[in-house]
Amino acid sequence: MQSCIPLVLRNVSLSGGRVADIAVRDGVVSHAGAGGPTDRIIDCRGLFVLPAAVDMHVHMRGGAQSAKEDWGSGSRSALAGGVTVVVDQPNTLPPINNPDALRARVFEAKSHSLCSFAINSSVTFDTPVKAMWSSGAMAFGETFFARSSYGEAISSQELGTALREIHTCGALATIHAEEIAEGDDRDLVFHDTLRSVAGELRAVEAIRECNTAGCRLHFCHMSTMASVTAAAAAGSVEVTPHHLFLSHEQFRPDDTYGKVNPPLRSEKERKGLWAAWKTIDVIASDHAPHTPAEKQVPFRVAPSGIPGVETMVPLLLGAVLAKKASLPDVIRKTSQEPAELLGIPPAGFVPGDRGDFALYPKESVRIDPDTLHSRCGFSPFAGLPAVFPRLVILGGTVVYEEGEFSAGSPVWFAGNGYYP
Ligand code: DOR
Ligand code: ZN
């Protein structure tokens, strides 16, 4: 007797105009085309069906920082934004700088996360690179070439040494490239001046010069067209939604909710970043929640970082509806490219692909922070047009539908060097 297919997505519009039924079994796409008996059929006519996103730059917090976010709230926020895999950054408290800390972080995520995840290793002068790689670190970084919230800077010399070791493992180094000038960090305009556009570009060049080993480099959150272009010559390029959709000119100068590293730039730079769209490999959120109480302090002492995992794909789909970006580009930059860079099996519509999808209506709403799921409770994207998923599928199981979550089978993606 033929067993039931657990899930079929009916009438999925694929690129090139083809319409197909996609069957998912045991977590992966089993075939495309009409099938036999099925437990659940979801009609996708009139919907955008996207392979779910891999957000390769999030700070899920947890532990001592649980008032900002934890794996429960952060992963709900991810799923409600069409993201089924997050890559957690190592500037946690304590940082992920030894195999025991990495194992504890994996345990914490396995215990509480509703979405799949990977964990990066920190990069400091004394990181045990080989041990972190064989313990399952996905990538190395974000490596702080300039200090930022919960991240101490590494010197050029130390970075060069670390990159040699990372290269020996065949791993990816992900780098936060900035240069910081001394001065009074009193508002968003000064923040942009002290962590300047020119300084970011110089940092990219300096990192490139450190990399005598030829390590695979990934440049996190590039904020201008010039740095995107320079970074593309040296590695892969990541850009955040906040640098694409926000400029400091949209905020009151002393608004700490817009304080982030690298800073929000001018409206002119923001437009320039869109002009570099084709050169951008990956869009990642740099989801970095802080509590309103932490943010509601004088600008100089407020922490940097804004939440964004839930609004990333929705904002980009808003841009698709506004004909500013194409749907295949959004899929490429939020799902296929990050999976490829990290060595995570791709989500998609071909037999064997990971069965992670998000289904979106073809109409936008205005972002309302009260409807979002991050514990921090605010969003600097409030009021912008965005398209939120109606339904999200993780490994063939519906895990989010019309605001409700249900348990699926999230996976830990260890890096390719994992040696249990
Ligand atoms: O603004 C930022 N916040 N930039 C970073 O690089 C770190 C992040 C955080 O962890 O808060
Ligand atoms: Zn960062």
Side-chain angles (χ1 to χ4, degrees):
M1 205 186 77
Q2 201 181 5
S3 66
C4 269
I5 298 165
L7 181 75
V8 169
L9 300 177
R10 182 150 288 170
N11 298 314
V12 177
S13 292
L14 304 175
S15 61
R18 200 158 68 88
V19 176
D21 295 350
I22 305 294
V24 189
R25 188 199 288 275
D26 298 330
V28 296
V29 172
S30 56
H31 65 279
T38 305
D39 282 342
R40 179 162 184 194
I41 297 173
I42 298 171
D43 191 356
C44 300
R45 217 171 328 183
L47 298 175
F48 289 129
V49 180
L50 270 67
V54 175
D55 188 343
M56 69 179 282
H57 192 143
V58 304
H59 302 267
M60 280 285 148
R61 313 299 196 198
Q65 299 176 306
S66 295
K68 302 175 195 280
E69 192 82 286
D70 65 17
W71 279 97
S73 57
S75 63
R76 280 193 293 279
S77 196
L79 290 179
V83 173
T84 56
V85 184
V86 294
V87 181
D88 188 48
Q89 303 303 312
N91 61 335
T92 43
L93 294 179
I96 309 304
N97 58 8
N98 64 75
D100 282 342
L102 176 63
R103 278 188 281 273
R105 189 68 175 158
V106 171
F107 181 77
E108 185 184 359
K110 274 189 178 164
S111 309
H112 302 290
S113 184
L114 274 74
C115 69
S116 296
F117 61 90
I119 311 286
N120 281 359
S121 165
S122 72
V123 179
T124 55
F125 73 95
D126 60 352
T127 299
V129 168
K130 288 200 174 65
M132 295 304 273
W133 184 233
S134 57
S135 302
M138 171 52 73
F140 287 83
E142 91 180 277
T143 307
F144 289 95
F145 194 65
R147 70 173 187 278
S148 189
S149 312
Y150 312 106
E152 282 310 311
I154 188 170
S155 71
S156 305
Q157 204 187 5
E158 291 161 350
L159 180 62
T161 307
L163 291 178
R164 257 187 296 286
E165 279 195 77
I166 297 167
H167 180 59
T168 310
C169 296
L172 180 71
T174 73
I175 313 206
H176 178 129
E178 278 197 281
E179 186 190 274
I180 310 173
E182 287 310 315
D184 185 8
D185 193 7
R186 78 173 87 121
D187 64 26
L188 289 171
V189 181
F190 277 84
H191 198 57
D192 177 28
T193 309
L194 296 176
R195 293 171 170 264
S196 68
V197 162
E200 183 177 286
L201 185 58
R202 280 193 293 271
V204 170
E205 295 301 348
I207 290 159
R208 191 179 177 175
E209 277 167 31
C210 291
N211 187 22
T212 49
C215 185
R216 275 204 303 143
L217 298 181
H218 175 78
F219 289 88
C220 302
H221 41 53
M222 293 284 92
S223 66
T224 71
M225 176 159 70
S227 11
V228 166
T229 308
S236 49
V237 182
E238 171 190 300
V239 165
T240 69
H242 45 271
H243 293 117
L244 283 169
F245 290 91
L246 303 175
S247 67
H248 63 68
E249 287 154 45
Q250 299 164 3
F251 292 78
R252 265 197 0 249
D254 63 350
D255 189 341
T256 55
Y257 288 105
K259 186 177 179 188
V260 64
N261 299 331
L264 298 182
R265 304 299 187 187
S266 66
E267 196 55 23
K268 186 163 165 263
E269 291 290 358
R270 184 184 81 81
K271 290 191 174 132
L273 194 56
W274 274 105
W277 173 254
K278 279 199 168 17
T279 316
I280 299 167
D281 296 296
V282 168
I283 310 288
S285 71
D286 194 6
H287 180 74
H290 299 285
T291 65
E294 289 166 325
K295 282 287 198 182
Q296 285 160 13
V297 295
F299 193 91
R300 292 178 184 85
V301 292
S304 296
I306 61 181
V309 70
E310 187 166 348
T311 45
M312 175 174 76
V313 181
L315 283 163
L316 292 168
L317 288 180
V320 169
L321 288 183
K323 306 220 176 315
K324 244 192 126 166
S326 76
L327 189 60
D329 275 1
V330 169
I331 294 171
R332 180 95 208 125
K333 292 171 204 288
T334 61
S335 184
Q336 294 164 338
E337 190 71 42
E340 206 169 301
L341 282 173
L342 298 167
I344 292 174
F349 304 110
V350 175
D353 281 352
R354 184 161 44 84
D356 289 11
F357 302 97
L359 280 45
Y360 299 81
K362 292 186 176 171
E363 63 200 2
S364 60
V365 294
R366 301 268 163 195
I367 293 178
D368 172 2
D370 290 344
T371 63
L372 302 177
H373 298 82
S374 169
R375 183 161 298 149
C376 73
F378 71 90
S379 171
F381 301 107
L384 294 186
V387 182
F388 286 91
R390 202 168 271 170
L391 191 144
V392 178
I393 294 159
L394 173 69
T397 303
V398 175
V399 288
Y400 174 81
E401 187 168 9
E402 307 278 5
E404 298 292 326
F405 296 91
S406 32
S409 304
V411 178
W412 169 42
F413 289 108
N416 292 343
Y418 185 45
Y419 191 73

